[in-house]
């Protein structure tokens, strides 16, 4: 019975060890699940929404091969608005059939033109690269080979309200070699407990087997004067020693200190000990053990209140990217005095103001009025319009630097110019005003353009505003619940400008600068 219990314990330990090892090898399943995308149609765009990617467990990835491949993620409403005028493929996941289904969506119906109007042509496909709508974009630009691969790791949030756009450069169809890949979770939380339990049972089984052997051999040797644990085993070794001198190796002439049986036991014990140590060290990994800590992501999601207003169309990362591009374009225009260089990011009054200054400075090189240079150093004040439609408005404040051109290193400034600069320079030399920029996006296929750049007077306090992540609504021009409808504020403000300019003339302030300060007080 003792042997049966020991052998049963050892067999159970072997089963547990086999299951624990199998958790990390043949029972772990595939490392990833891949569904190829059939985009053999001539459409230039393919869209897959987050809920479709959530049908398959694991971290979703989009793998695209081609010299003009492009992949972007964005809000689902923005992606749909961008592709709406064009024919595009809508991808859906068939988890049961383990495949992707593609449905061709025709362009959205346009408003019927008048009967006497000429027939409108279909919209020309556009290049989606560089749009302000995308949260993340990856592209293989230009001259790459057809075997070049670009992989985009889709964020987990994509499962809620975001989508993926797969395209090329707008002129060519979607690359034919596209696949969606879900990387599987390789964590095996029960491998550690199984390996630990198997090792413990192996140790217990070994002890039980040793005790069973000892019980059977207790009567094989002298009992007088021999006490203590494992008496039978010690008697067995003592009897072997009493049998005479140990055998001698005839070839070498040396005594054989160990019997073949003991050698076999040592050879069997060493691999078992090594396997036990290896399994014990492997079981220390966090991936081998279950995590009983509370799911913080789930709790945070449950506690988050659902916003009742319209969603905020841009994130902080998008705003930073827009401001950096605006600063880059403005710097190029200021350096070259070229208004055309500003057109990718400027429009309206902001473009006209800088274009007029460039024209004057081109004709009068020593003209003293130089617009402040826009930097990408965003300040802590932002107003983001919360809306799902277009146009969309954004107000951000950024720091600026002096727009005056400095003399090259090693070239002294002439005495006359140095005196004039010292007379015109303010007491706080080197200080530049903070700038408020109003940016507007007219349609999904246009980027945010700066329509106004306003220098903020020092010492003013900005009014309280909603956090940028919550957004704020744009007031209607006809709202009547205020003292003055928003549509009439401009006319009323223009009426007070002459008085403001006269009032501050003695203090050396320009009327426009005072007006900008008054506007945000």
């Amino acid at each position: 019975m003792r042997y049966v219990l020991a052998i049963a314990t050892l067999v159970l330990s072997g089963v547990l060890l086999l299951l624990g090892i199998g958790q990390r090898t043949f029972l772990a399943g595939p490392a990833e699940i891949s569904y190829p995308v059939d985009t053999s149609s001539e459409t230039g765009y393919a869209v897959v929404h987050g809920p479709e990617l959530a049908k398959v467990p694991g971290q979703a990835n989009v793998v695209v091969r081609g010299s003009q491949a492009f992949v972007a993620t964005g809000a689902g409403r923005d992606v749909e608005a961008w592709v709406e005028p064009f024919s595009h493929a809508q991808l859906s996941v068939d988890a049961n059939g383990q495949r992707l289904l593609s449905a061709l969506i025709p362009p959205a119906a346009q408003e019927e033109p008048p009967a006497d109007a000429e027939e409108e042509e279909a919209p020309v496909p556009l290049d989606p690269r560089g749009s302000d709508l995308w949260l993340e974009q990856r592209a293989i630009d230009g001259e790459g080979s057809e075997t070049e691969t670009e992989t985009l790791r889709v964020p987990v949030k994509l499962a809620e309200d975001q989508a993926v756009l797969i395209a090329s450069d707008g002129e060519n169809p979607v690359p034919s070699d596209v696949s969606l890949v879900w990387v599987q979770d390789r964590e095996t939380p029960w491998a550690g407990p199984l390996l630990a339990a198997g090792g413990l049972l192996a140790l217990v089984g070994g002890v039980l087997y040793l005790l069973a052997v000892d019980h059977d051999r207790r009567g094989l040797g002298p009992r007088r004067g021999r006490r203590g644990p494992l008496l039978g085993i010690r008697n067995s070794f003592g009897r072997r020693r009493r049998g005479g001198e140990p055998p001698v190796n005839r070839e070498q002439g040396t005594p054989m200190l160990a019997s073949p049986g003991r050698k076999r036991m040592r050879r069997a014990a060493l691999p078992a000990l090594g396997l036990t140590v290896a399994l014990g060290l492997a079981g220390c990994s966090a991936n081998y053990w279950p995590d009983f800590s509370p799911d913080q992501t789930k709790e945070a999601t449950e506690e988050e209140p659902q916003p009742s207003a319209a969603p905020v169309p841009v994130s902080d990362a998008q705003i930073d990217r827009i401001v950096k591009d605006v600063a880059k374009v403005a710097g190029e225009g200021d350096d070259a005095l070229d208004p055309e260089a500003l057109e990718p990011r400027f429009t309206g009054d902001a473009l006209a103001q800088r274009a007029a200054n460039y024209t004057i400075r081109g004709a009068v090189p020593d003209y003293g009025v130089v617009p402040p240079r826009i930097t990408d150093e965003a300040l802590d004040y932002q107003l983001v319009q919360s809306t799902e439609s277009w146009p969309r408005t954004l107000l951000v404040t950024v720091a600026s630097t002096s727009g005056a051109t400095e003399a090259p290193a090693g070239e002294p400034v002439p005495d006359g110019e140095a005196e004039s600069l010292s007379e015109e320079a303010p007491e706080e030399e080197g200080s530049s005003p903070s700038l408020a920029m109003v940016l507007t996006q007219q349609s999904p296929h246009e980027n945010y353009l700066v329509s106004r750049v306003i220098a903020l007077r020092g010492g003013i306090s900005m009014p309280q505003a909603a956090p940028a992540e919550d957004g704020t609504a744009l007031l209607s021009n006809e709202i009547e619940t205020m003292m003055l409808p928003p549509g009439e504020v401009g006319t009323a403000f223009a009426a007070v400008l002459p008085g403001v300019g006269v009032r501050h003339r003695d203090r050396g302030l320009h009327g426009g600068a005072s007006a900008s300060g008054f506007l945000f007080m």
Side-chain angles (χ1 to χ4, degrees):
M1 183 64 185
R2 293 183 178 88
Y3 284 103
V4 173
L5 183 60
I7 294 175
T9 305
L10 292 174
V11 170
L12 181 58
S13 70
V15 172
L16 293 180
L17 290 174
L18 184 62
L19 290 176
I21 297 174
Q23 289 282 317
R24 301 297 298 178
T25 54
F26 58 89
L27 296 178
E32 60 183 28
I33 300 175
S34 178
Y35 291 173
V37 179
D38 183 11
T39 56
S40 57
S41 61
E42 295 300 324
T43 180
Y45 313 101
V47 178
V48 54
H49 286 268
E52 296 296 327
L53 296 177
K55 293 180 179 179
V56 178
Q59 174 63 60
N61 293 268
V62 180
V63 180
V64 186
R65 292 180 179 87
S67 59
Q68 296 290 342
F70 175 80
V71 179
T73 61
R77 58 184 181 277
D78 292 345
V79 174
E80 287 292 343
W82 200 94
V83 300
E84 185 179 16
F86 314 112
S87 173
H88 60 278
Q90 190 81 34
L91 303 180
S92 58
V93 177
D94 182 9
N96 295 329
Q98 298 183 353
R99 58 178 181 171
L100 283 173
L101 305 178
S102 177
L104 183 62
I105 308 299
Q110 305 293 330
E111 295 182 0
E112 295 185 2
D116 56 349
E118 297 181 359
E119 184 178 354
E120 295 184 3
E121 297 181 356
V124 179
L126 302 176
D127 191 347
R129 290 170 171 79
S131 175
D132 289 341
L133 296 179
W134 314 139
L135 299 173
E136 184 180 359
Q137 55 182 324
R138 301 276 289 276
I140 305 176
D141 291 322
E143 310 299 330
S145 64
E146 291 296 329
T147 59
E148 186 177 356
T149 303
E150 186 75 15
T151 304
L152 173 66
R153 181 173 294 276
V154 180
V156 177
K157 290 183 178 179
L158 195 67
E160 298 297 331
D161 59 348
Q162 298 176 0
V164 177
L165 173 65
I166 306 172
S168 60
D169 57 355
E171 298 179 357
N172 300 309
V174 176
S176 58
D177 194 354
V178 180
S179 61
L180 300 183
V181 178
W182 288 266
V183 178
Q184 299 303 295
D185 186 5
R186 301 289 289 180
E187 292 185 359
T188 52
W190 295 109
L194 289 173
L195 292 175
L200 180 61
L201 288 178
L203 181 62
V204 172
V207 172
L208 292 176
Y209 187 82
L210 191 63
L211 293 176
V213 173
D214 176 71
H215 183 271
D216 287 347
R217 294 187 178 184
R218 280 180 180 270
L220 299 181
R223 301 182 181 180
R224 182 179 301 176
R226 298 180 64 85
R227 295 181 180 180
L230 303 179
L231 180 60
I233 295 177
R234 289 190 288 119
N235 286 341
S236 177
F237 286 104
R239 188 179 69 255
R240 185 177 294 112
R241 287 196 298 269
R242 290 192 302 273
E245 294 296 331
V248 178
N249 191 333
R250 295 181 179 180
E251 297 179 359
Q252 300 180 359
T254 58
M256 299 177 61
L257 300 180
S259 64
R262 294 186 63 184
K263 288 184 178 181
R264 285 195 296 269
M265 291 178 62
R266 290 177 181 177
R267 292 173 183 175
L270 290 177
L273 180 61
L275 179 61
T276 304
V277 173
L279 293 176
L281 294 176
C284 296
S285 175
N287 294 334
Y288 284 63
W289 299 90
D291 185 11
F292 297 105
S293 60
D295 192 351
Q296 298 179 358
T297 305
K298 184 177 180 180
E299 291 180 358
T301 305
E302 292 176 354
E303 295 176 0
E304 258 183 31
Q306 295 295 331
S308 57
V312 178
V314 289
S315 63
D316 292 339
Q318 289 174 287
I319 294 176
D320 293 341
R321 188 171 68 242
I322 293 170
V323 170
K324 287 181 180 180
D325 196 34
V326 168
K328 177 183 176 183
V329 171
E332 293 174 354
D334 292 345
D335 293 337
L337 300 181
D338 183 10
E340 294 183 358
L342 302 176
E343 293 180 356
R345 281 296 183 180
F346 284 77
T347 187
D349 295 343
L351 179 60
Q353 179 186 14
R354 264 181 156 73
N357 183 268
Y358 294 167
T359 303
I360 297 175
R361 290 166 61 193
V364 185
D366 57 349
Y367 186 65
V369 178
V370 180
R373 294 181 69 91
I374 300 174
T375 69
D376 57 1
E377 182 184 349
L379 303 180
D380 297 332
Y381 194 84
Q382 298 175 350
L383 285 176
V384 182
Q385 180 188 2
S386 56
T387 180
E388 295 184 0
S389 58
W390 282 265
R392 297 174 174 178
T393 305
L394 173 67
L395 185 144
V396 295
T397 55
V398 297
S400 69
T401 60
S402 175
T405 305
E406 299 179 356
E411 296 184 10
V413 180
D415 295 339
E417 294 185 10
E419 293 177 0
S420 62
L421 288 175
S422 62
E423 293 176 358
E424 296 177 1
E427 294 181 359
E428 298 180 1
E429 188 175 358
S431 62
S432 296
S434 300
L435 302 178
M437 297 190 302
V438 180
L439 301 96
T440 305
Q441 187 182 37
Q442 296 292 341
S443 71
H445 301 114
E446 298 182 17
N447 285 335
Y448 278 90
L449 302 181
V450 181
S451 58
R452 287 180 177 83
V453 179
I454 306 167
L456 302 179
R457 189 178 64 189
I460 68 170
S461 58
M462 302 292 286
Q464 295 292 331
E469 58 270 14
D470 295 338
T472 182
L474 186 66
L475 298 179
S476 173
N477 289 332
E478 289 78 21
I479 189 171
E480 298 180 355
T481 57
M482 306 178 69
M483 294 183 61
L484 193 66
E488 300 178 9
V489 172
T491 304
F493 182 66
V496 302
L497 280 180
V500 174
V502 173
R503 192 183 314 144
H504 294 82
R505 185 177 302 165
D506 296 336
R507 296 164 59 184
L509 296 177
H510 189 272
S514 300
S516 64
F518 175 81
L519 179 61
F520 289 93
M521 287 180 63

